[in-house]
Amino acid sequence: MGQAPVVYGQSERPPRGDYSRAASDYTCAQDYASYTETDHDTYRRLHARQSALLPGRACAEFIAALPSLGPHKRIPRFEDINARLMPATGWQIVGVPGLIPELAFFELLAERRFPVTDWIRTPAEFDYIVEPDIFHDLFGHVPLLFNPVLADYVQRYGQGGIKAHRLGACEMLARLYWYTIEFGLIREAGGLRAYGAGILSSGGELVHAVESPEPRRLPLSVERAMRSRYRIDSYQQTYFVIDSLQQLFDMTDGDFAPLYAQLRALPEFAADGSEAPPVRPAPPGPRTPA
C-alpha cells in the first residue's frame, strides 16, 4: 500500500520521492534501472570530492570503513552492500522513497535496518540539498555501520526512539541524534575529527566543523544535547565532542524516561549555545528524525 510523503523539519514543502512505491513500513525496492548516467556521474563526483576532504578531518574508523561501500564510479546496488554489511555487523540497508515518520524510522533502526533514500540530487544541488538523498545516506551513514560499536549504538537509538515516541519525548531524542550521528565530532590523537554523517557528506560543513574557529565545541553531555536546538539551513553553531565511539555507547546506556521528565522543566539552548527563550509547543503532526 502506498504511503503519504512526510513534511521535513520546518519546511511545508513535501519531499520528493514516489511514496506510492512504499510498503506499510515505508521501505521500497531500489529502482536501480531508473538511474541515469547523469545520476551516476553526480554520485561519482560527490564521492570524489568528499573523499579528497577526509584526511585530517574524518575519524579513523570512518576512513577505514569507507571502502566497504564498494566501487564508487556508479551508484552502488543495495544488495551488494548488504552482502558485506550483514556478515560484518548484522545490519542491512533498505530503500525508502524519502523522509519517513519518526516511529517508522525508529522501528527500522531497532531491527538493524537502515533506511536509505533511493534517489539522488540533481547537478544543480551538488553543493547543498535540503533533505537527505542517496549520497548523504550511503556515504555519510553506512560506513560506520560496519563498526560494531556504532552499529550497536544506532540500534539502541532506534529502540530508545520507540520508547520516546510513547512518552512524547521524540524532540529531545532527535536532538541527540542530530548532535551525534549527524553532526558529532570525536577527539583523536591527531586532533578533532568528524564522525557525524551530516558533516562527512558535506564539502563545506566538514571543513567548518573541524577547522573553523567560529562554532562552539562542547564535550558531549546527553542532557545538554537534548536541550539544544539546531539549524537545518546553515552550518552548525554548536558541536558536541566525544573521546571514543565506546564512550558514546556507554553514555546512552539506561532508561531515559526519568531524564525526559527532568529536562521538560529546564530551559532550552539556542543553536548558538545561548539560553533560548521559551517557545510554544509545535502543533501535533508527522515529524521526522533529524
Side-chain angles (χ1 to χ4, degrees):
M1 182 176 69
Q3 297 290 342
V6 178
V7 175
Y8 176 55
Q10 304 295 323
S11 174
E12 295 180 355
R13 177 184 60 80
R16 73 193 75 176
D18 181 6
Y19 285 78
S20 67
R21 299 167 49 225
S24 59
D25 62 357
Y26 280 86
T27 64
C28 62
Q30 183 186 23
D31 187 6
Y32 200 84
S34 69
Y35 299 134
T36 66
E37 287 305 313
T38 298
D39 293 335
H40 289 297
D41 182 64
T42 297
Y43 181 88
R44 178 191 61 77
R45 292 189 299 118
L46 284 166
H47 194 292
R49 180 191 68 178
Q50 290 308 115
S51 296
L53 292 171
L54 297 180
R57 300 185 181 101
C59 70
E61 290 92 341
F62 180 86
I63 291 177
L66 184 60
S68 298
L69 290 184
H72 54 268
K73 292 187 178 181
R74 299 179 71 80
I75 296 171
R77 294 180 182 271
F78 291 174
E79 60 263 32
D80 293 341
I81 294 176
N82 285 336
R84 297 182 289 271
L85 182 58
M86 178 65 79
T89 59
W91 274 83
Q92 60 179 313
I93 59 176
V94 292
V96 290
L99 290 154
I100 64 177
E102 56 194 9
L103 182 58
F105 179 75
F106 297 144
E107 289 172 341
L108 289 173
L109 297 189
E111 297 168 356
R112 294 177 92 91
R113 302 166 72 203
F114 194 88
V116 174
T117 302
D118 72 343
W119 53 261
I120 193 164
R121 70 193 71 182
T122 67
E125 299 167 309
F126 188 84
D127 291 321
Y128 176 76
I129 186 170
V130 174
E131 61 202 82
D133 70 340
I134 192 172
F135 178 76
H136 166 81
D137 287 340
L138 283 184
F139 187 96
H141 284 287
V142 174
L144 282 180
L145 290 177
F146 283 87
N147 179 280
V149 177
L150 201 283
D152 286 348
Y153 172 75
V154 176
Q155 182 184 30
R156 176 182 286 177
Y157 179 88
Q159 294 166 338
I162 295 171
K163 296 178 183 178
H165 187 268
R166 293 198 300 264
L167 296 170
C170 287
E171 178 65 26
M172 284 184 275
L173 197 64
R175 291 171 179 173
L176 181 62
Y177 186 95
W178 186 266
Y179 282 116
T180 58
I181 296 174
E182 287 289 357
F183 289 95
L185 294 176
I186 187 170
R187 195 174 303 280
E188 295 183 342
L192 283 179
R193 301 290 186 265
Y195 72 93
I199 303 174
L200 293 164
S201 62
S202 167
E205 186 111 16
L206 182 53
V207 176
H208 173 82
V210 176
E211 299 176 6
S212 173
E214 296 177 3
R216 294 189 183 194
R217 299 178 180 89
L218 306 175
L220 177 63
S221 159
V222 171
E223 295 87 346
R224 177 68 182 254
M226 287 184 175
R227 293 168 60 194
S228 297
R229 303 175 191 170
Y230 54 82
R231 298 287 299 274
I232 67 169
D233 56 354
S234 66
Y235 294 157
Q236 300 307 298
Q237 297 169 290
T238 300
Y239 298 96
F240 289 91
V241 184
I242 59 174
D243 294 320
S244 68
L245 295 179
Q246 186 62 50
Q247 180 198 30
L248 176 63
F249 183 86
D250 294 341
M251 290 180 73
T252 55
D253 189 21
D255 183 8
F256 281 167
L259 180 60
Y260 296 146
Q262 174 188 348
L263 296 184
R264 285 190 177 99
L266 298 177
E268 296 182 335
F269 293 94
D272 64 2
S274 61
E275 192 166 302
V279 295
R280 294 180 179 179
R287 301 277 296 176
T288 59

